[in-house]
């Protein structure tokens, strides 16, 4: 799927279940295992505890706040939104999860999911039994490190937007972060679709929806990016990186 604009996906990716030696191309833990010199033949336990589930269609819940925690899931295709609803019925978006990323890690402590996970488009998942993967992590150091890395990354993303950043900086950091995350999974780094609504982006960035729309229009007028409905193309990588630098810090 190299270079395809997200969320377009080659049909073979969804049918790719690997083989006796290789993991499927979207396995969240494959590189952790392979880095230890272990393939499927040496890790039959991992093959047993992976279950492909879906499709979930736009608006359907993958899990709900309060559901018992039994498994984590890696996104295989599509986008999943995590959110909570306060006592007044207002939704608060916690994050968006793309192919290769894991949802459910924030349920480890309380043994129940502390948020909702909702499909934003057609979503396919790989479900991992957490009790079994915990046993595996004790046996394979690479899997344990991968779990810690995923937890650390989620905590880091949650803290990124806590500062007193401008609207332009927040939007730029969101777009550049999305670009990097998608590029790491083989999608185009410069062209992708915003599979989430503008209102969801605004909610996540703690901005008003009209502010997000205004910033996108201004960036388009300035030649930084091109926007066609939900399609975005990053035209001036240097300028968007400069805007995002105070938040992303790399």
């Amino acid at each position: 799927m190299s270079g395809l604009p997200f969320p377009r996906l080659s049909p073979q990716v969804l049918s790719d279940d690997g083989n006796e030696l290789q993991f499927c191309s979207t396995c969240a833990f494959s590189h952790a295992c392979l880095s230890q010199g272990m393939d499927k033949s040496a890790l039959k336990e991992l093959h047993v505890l992976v279950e492909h589930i879906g499709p979930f269609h736009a608006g359907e819940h993958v899990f709900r706040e309060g559901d018992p925690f039994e498994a984590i899931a890696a996104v295989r295709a599509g986008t999943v939104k995590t959110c909570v609803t306060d006592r007044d019925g207002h939704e608060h978006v916690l994050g968006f999860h793309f192919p290769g990323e894991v949802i459910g890690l924030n349920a480890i402590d309380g043994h129940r999911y502390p948020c909702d996970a909702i499909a934003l488009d057609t979503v396919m998942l790989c479900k991992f039994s957490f009790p079994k993967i915990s046993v595996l992590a004790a046996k394979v150091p690479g899997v344990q490190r991968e779990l810690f890395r995923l937890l650390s990354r989620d905590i880091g993303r949650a803290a990124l937007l806590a500062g007193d950043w401008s609207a332009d900086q927040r939007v730029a950091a969101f777009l550049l972060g999305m670009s990097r995350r998608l590029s790491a999974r083989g999608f185009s780094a410069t062209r992708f679709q915003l599979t989430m609504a503008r209102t969801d982006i605004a909610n996540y960035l703690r901005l008003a929806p009209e502010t997000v729309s205004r910033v996108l229009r201004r960036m388009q007028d300035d030649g930084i990016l091109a926007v066609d409905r939900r399609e975005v193309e990053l035209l001036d990588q240097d300028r968007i990186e400069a805007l995002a630098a105070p938040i992303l810090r790399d």
Side-chain angles (χ1 to χ4, degrees):
M1 64 180 177
S2 179
L4 284 174
F6 179 77
R8 300 186 186 104
L9 201 61
S10 300
Q12 61 266 30
V13 171
L14 292 183
S15 62
D16 173 20
D17 192 23
N19 54 39
E20 289 187 0
L21 296 179
Q22 296 177 325
F23 301 99
C24 71
S25 61
T26 50
C27 179
F29 297 99
S30 60
H31 71 275
C33 296
L34 293 173
S35 69
Q36 303 296 302
M38 297 183 177
D39 56 23
K40 267 190 179 178
S41 64
L43 272 179
K44 292 181 181 178
E45 302 101 320
L46 183 59
H47 186 55
V48 169
L49 58 88
V50 177
E51 177 188 1
H52 289 171
I53 60 174
F56 296 87
H57 300 293
E60 292 183 348
H61 281 74
V62 176
F63 54 74
R64 296 177 184 271
E65 182 178 358
D67 285 350
F69 171 61
E70 297 176 348
I72 58 176
V75 180
R76 204 165 170 224
T79 309
V80 175
K81 174 180 74 173
T82 50
C83 58
V84 294
T85 302
D86 64 25
R87 292 180 180 179
D88 297 322
H90 300 130
E91 183 179 275
H92 301 274
V93 177
L94 303 177
F96 305 102
H97 305 266
F98 305 116
E101 298 182 349
V102 174
I103 57 174
L105 290 170
N106 56 353
I108 293 173
D109 179 51
H111 307 295
R112 291 187 179 274
Y113 294 106
C115 61
D116 294 337
I118 302 170
L120 294 183
D121 49 5
T122 301
V123 167
M124 303 289 290
L125 300 170
C126 288
K127 185 178 177 182
F128 298 80
S129 162
F130 190 73
K132 291 183 180 178
I133 207 169
S134 299
V135 172
L136 183 65
K139 296 178 180 178
V140 185
V143 173
Q144 187 177 72
R145 283 196 296 271
E146 182 67 6
L147 279 171
F148 289 153
R149 186 185 71 82
L150 292 169
L151 282 165
S152 175
R153 187 175 64 184
D154 279 359
I155 293 168
R157 283 180 185 155
L160 277 181
L161 298 172
D164 186 22
W165 314 114
S166 71
D168 288 47
Q169 289 171 323
R170 288 171 183 266
V171 172
F174 174 75
L175 294 174
L176 185 59
M178 188 170 173
S179 164
R180 289 175 177 177
R181 290 159 68 187
L182 294 175
S183 176
R185 288 292 165 177
F187 292 98
S188 170
T190 57
R191 294 179 59 220
F192 49 85
Q193 186 180 114
L194 297 174
T195 45
M196 62 293 294
R198 293 281 198 280
T199 51
D200 281 342
I201 297 173
N203 187 314
Y204 175 66
L205 296 178
R206 308 300 183 254
L207 298 170
E210 56 269 24
T211 300
V212 171
S213 296
R214 185 168 62 248
V215 170
L216 290 174
R217 281 196 302 270
R218 183 164 61 247
M219 287 182 173
Q220 182 163 249
D221 292 343
D222 290 345
I224 297 174
L225 50 82
V227 182
D228 182 9
R229 298 182 183 179
R230 291 196 173 196
E231 299 283 339
V232 172
E233 183 176 5
L234 306 185
L235 301 175
D236 193 329
Q237 198 83 1
D238 290 340
R239 290 173 71 187
I240 202 163
E241 285 182 0
L243 277 170
I247 298 178
L248 298 185
R249 295 175 179 241
D250 57 26

